[in-house]
Structures are given as C-alpha cells and as structure tokens.
Amino acid sequence: AQSVTQLGSHVSVSEGALVLLRCNYSSSVPPYLFWYVQYPNQGLQLLLKYTTGATLVKGINGFEAEFKKSETSFHLTKPSAHMSDAAEYFCAVSTYSSASKIIFGSGTRLSIRP
Amino acid sequence: GAVVSQHPSWVICKSGTSVKIECRSLDFQATTMFWYRQFPKQSLMLMATSNEGSKATYEQGVEKDKFLINHASLTLSTLTVTSAHPEDSSFYICSARDPSPGTAETQYFGPGTRLLVL
C-alpha cells in the first residue's frame, strides 16, 4: 500500500522568497510521484511528475521537485515565489501495479506575503 | 496537457432529487476515469473507479446505490447522486487516465462540480 505525508498544512512565504513544500511517501514498489496545484473552486492541475529516470523533475510555473529514494521524499521547490503561486498543493503517489489509483496527501496551503 | 471537462460546474437542488454530473475527456480516450469528493479545506477522497464498458469499482464506505456511475463511452463518465440529501453537498471532481505510451498513466482532472443540496 502507498501513503503520502505532507508536512505543514499551511506555509507562508514572502514574495520573491524560496518556496519549499515537503512531501514524504511510503511505497513497497517503485512509486510514481506527482504534485498537483488547486486554485479556489477549481480542479487540480498537474505541476510535475516523477516516473523513472532523472530524479530532478522540472514542472510548470518554475516549480521543480527532487525524488530522493533514500529519504523517501519528493519535496517541491521554487526559487522565487510570486503572488500567483498562492494555492493549495497536493503531493500524490501511484504505482503501475495499483491500477492507476492515486493516493493524495492532505494538502499544503501556500500563502504569499507582499 | 490533456483536457477534462465537467458539467455542470455547480448545481443547487432540493433534497430528495437526483443530480447527474458529466465528465468528459476532450482530446484523448479514457478507458478509466475516477470520481473524487472533496470537503472544504480537505484532500480528495477517491469514491470510485469507472471503467468503460464495465461496472464501476467503489471504495470502501461509498454507497454504490447512492452514487451511480456509468462509463458508456471512452470519453464520457457520469456520476448520479440519487435522492440527494444536504450531507451530499460537496465538491465532486473527476479525472481521466491517459493511457498513451509514456504518460505513466497520468490522471488529468476536471474543474469540479459544486453540489449544494437544500
């Protein structure tokens, strides 16, 4: 079985500062890892995903995440926060053997201070 | 990326009525779609997996007679909330799995449907 833990339900950073959203996963088989963003009253938009290969994954809007197997982590970062980055972010895990079921973390709300 | 639509985007209905929500994959054929429910300030809860041409697979605790799912074509799945009650009020989100090679079976999400039962 897979699970995802997002550390921090709410993160607040200043505009222009580094964004770091933490995600740890548990999986008995090689995982597929995802970060999704949700703006108020909207569905989820895929930011980036890791399947195999390069462990540093670049996504949309300047976000990137690094898969660290030894730490079972997949933290999301962005060098410089913009006001438009304020949203809810979900880390998620899946595996090929799980018939595409995605297990979501509890979410982290990112606030940007002017 | 792939596009998934939902209709309606919001609906208000009276208690006891049934509501149908449509989920469409617009630019790919989705043999598998998923239905989620999201309560305010919470994560998504998987309700069921919808497979084209076969019965849906429901997660534990989800009433299959309450939430009817039909996946009659490769681009359309519907969720019908039967005899809706105020506790069914929620944000319902669907997703569609892209089976194309190289996508790692990524799921693409619809914009969601907000249901309010009075």
Side-chain angles (χ1 to χ4, degrees):
Chain A
Q2 297 84 40
S3 66
V4 175
T5 301
Q6 289 184 242
L7 301 177
S9 59
H10 182 209
V11 171
S12 179
V13 302
S14 298
E15 189 174 18
L18 171 71
V19 175
L20 171 61
L21 304 183
R22 299 178 187 274
C23 172
N24 288 90
Y25 71 91
S26 173
S27 178
S28 56
V29 297
Y32 295 161
L33 295 161
F34 307 85
W35 275 100
Y36 287 89
V37 61
Q38 184 180 34
Y39 297 99
N41 296 312
Q42 294 187 27
L44 273 67
Q45 181 182 10
L46 180 66
L47 276 178
L48 48 81
K49 64 183 179 185
Y50 168 80
T51 54
T52 59
T55 57
L56 182 61
V57 180
K58 294 185 184 298
I60 62 172
N61 301 339
F63 285 94
E64 61 182 37
E66 186 171 9
F67 170 61
K68 292 187 176 180
K69 184 178 179 181
S70 61
E71 298 178 8
T72 61
S73 68
F74 191 58
H75 302 330
L76 181 71
T77 61
K78 181 174 181 177
S80 177
H82 294 172
M83 296 300 293
S84 60
D85 293 328
E88 189 85 17
Y89 291 80
F90 293 96
C91 181
V93 64
S94 178
T95 68
Y96 184 79
S97 63
S98 65
S100 302
K101 277 189 184 181
I102 286 185
I103 306 300
F104 285 92
S106 54
T108 297
R109 183 164 62 90
L110 176 63
S111 299
I112 311 297
R113 301 187 300 270
Chain B
V3 179
V4 175
S5 69
Q6 276 184 248
H7 177 81
S9 56
W10 60 272
V11 57
I12 301 174
C13 69
K14 293 182 178 180
S15 184
T17 61
S18 294
V19 175
K20 179 184 285 188
I21 303 170
E22 294 185 349
C23 177
R24 294 181 186 272
S25 57
L26 299 185
D27 50 4
F28 65 99
Q29 293 184 328
T31 53
T32 304
M33 292 184 174
F34 301 86
W35 287 96
Y36 296 84
R37 184 173 181 176
Q38 186 180 32
F39 291 103
K41 300 187 185 302
Q42 294 189 26
S43 189
L44 280 72
M45 180 191 78
L46 179 64
M47 299 175 66
T49 302
S50 171
N51 298 297
E52 187 268 336
S54 64
K55 291 183 179 180
T57 303
Y58 290 82
E59 295 299 300
Q60 190 173 8
V62 178
E63 300 175 61
K64 61 181 181 181
D65 295 329
K66 173 76 170 176
F67 300 99
L68 301 179
I69 292 173
N70 183 277
H71 193 157
S73 78
L74 288 172
T75 59
L76 173 65
S77 175
T78 60
L79 168 69
T80 301
V81 183
T82 62
S83 186
H85 291 285
E87 58 266 30
D88 297 325
S89 299
S90 191
F91 193 51
Y92 293 88
I93 304 176
C94 74
S95 70
R97 181 175 68 89
D98 185 350
S100 305
T103 65
E105 305 185 348
T106 299
Q107 290 186 29
Y108 295 94
F109 286 79
T113 296
R114 186 160 302 282
L115 170 63
L116 177 60
V117 184
L118 302 177

